[in-house]
Amino acid sequence: MIKFTIITLFREAIEPYLKTSMMWKAVDKGLAEFDFVNLRDFGLGPHKSVDDTPYGGGDGMLLRCEPVFAAIESIKAKDPEAKVILPTPVGEIWQQKMAKAMASGEFEKIYYQNHSIEPAQALVSSSNFSNSFHYIILCPHYEGYDERILSIVDYKISLGKYVLTGGELPALIIIDSVVRLIPGVLGGEKSAEIESFSEGDNLEYPQYTRPEEFRGMKVPEILLSGNHGEIAKWREEHSGTAE
Ligand code: ADE
């Protein structure tokens, strides 16, 4: 069982996705749990303010420490083992091996703040899936956050070298990429294992379904041959490698 508690001001931007398809199936089967904490509930003053202007000047508003610490501490009071993830463009770039490690409870082993991720020997089989893990994802909004917030964060994760408006989309991407790897969530147990990026950085081979010919484009003959050895060889040859 893996639990994600999402601290956000915009639950409505996240929740529908988590109630759809595989994510919902994972919840239904008791393999994943999603919870929300409204940062506004911990806001300050009559307006429940969660942000303020930066010291030293500059554009925009920053997420304040007090509401964030209070929100996280309210979750940790119930589960002190929960780990805090901060989506930020200056975090470790999210990769399939990190999703895999998180799904199997080995994430700590391969994550080093401000360092590269350790190579694949930390990756594990599915033997640890029965354990229970709880991740809190803090979704900043506005122009950024008070740097002191990092003192309560375990993992800083970037979805890529671009800037998004908030942490909601990164939270969904992290959750989706992890939850689908839990055995029993995807239809075919093997499909997460063999697909793109799962083993090292191999890209998937090209695939085809019916019809055999579409607008003059034919399915490669070998795939229709029934020769499994040759098909496996063809697939191997046509697998790409991520840069
Ligand atoms: N917040 C804003 N941009 C982001 C990114 N690229 N990755 C993770 N969190 C972000």
Side-chain angles (χ1 to χ4, degrees), residues 87-89 157-167 170:
T88 161
I157 291 175
S158 167
L159 264 297
K161 300 207 172 290
Y162 45 81
V163 179
L164 298 163
T165 311

Side-chain angles (χ1 to χ4, degrees), residues 70-215:
I72 291 173
E73 283 161 1
S74 77
I75 302 162
K76 287 206 172 195
K78 287 175 242 155
D79 183 2
E81 297 299 312
K83 300 285 185 218
V84 181
I85 296 171
L86 175 73
T88 161
V90 296
E92 290 285 352
I93 300 277
W94 187 243
Q95 300 172 51
Q96 182 67 10
K97 61 184 170 187
M98 294 162 80
K100 208 173 173 187
M102 189 172 279
S104 57
E106 300 284 323
F107 189 62
E108 253 168 283
K109 276 196 192 159
I110 71 155
Y111 179 95
Y112 294 90
Q113 211 147 4
N114 299 322
H115 293 282
S116 304
I117 299 304
E118 286 251 296
Q121 75 263 32
L123 298 185
V124 288
S125 67
S126 54
S127 57
N128 281 344
F129 273 106
S130 57
N131 293 345
S132 183
F133 302 96
H134 186 182
Y135 293 99
I136 299 166
I137 307 186
L138 169 66
C139 300
H141 238 256
Y142 310 114
E143 276 69 20
Y145 47 84
D146 187 305
E147 193 72 7
R148 291 167 290 187
I149 284 172
L150 295 183
S151 66
I152 204 170
V153 166
D154 295 290
Y155 311 120
K156 291 190 289 175
I157 291 175
S158 167
L159 264 297
K161 300 207 172 290
Y162 45 81
V163 179
L164 298 163
T165 311
E168 284 75 16
L169 284 173
L172 278 179
I173 292 169
I174 292 165
I175 291 169
D176 184 295
S177 59
V178 170
V179 168
R180 64 192 292 285
L181 294 176
I182 299 172
V185 174
L186 284 188
E189 287 295 293
K190 278 238 160 257
S191 47
E193 199 59 39
I194 59 173
E195 73 184 22
S196 302
F197 302 112
S198 263
E199 297 300 332
D201 282 340
N202 282 339
L203 287 168
E204 210 166 64
Y205 43 79
Q207 299 193 87
Y208 302 85
T209 184
R210 286 184 288 183
E212 276 184 36
E213 183 174 337
F214 177 70
R215 297 190 181 176

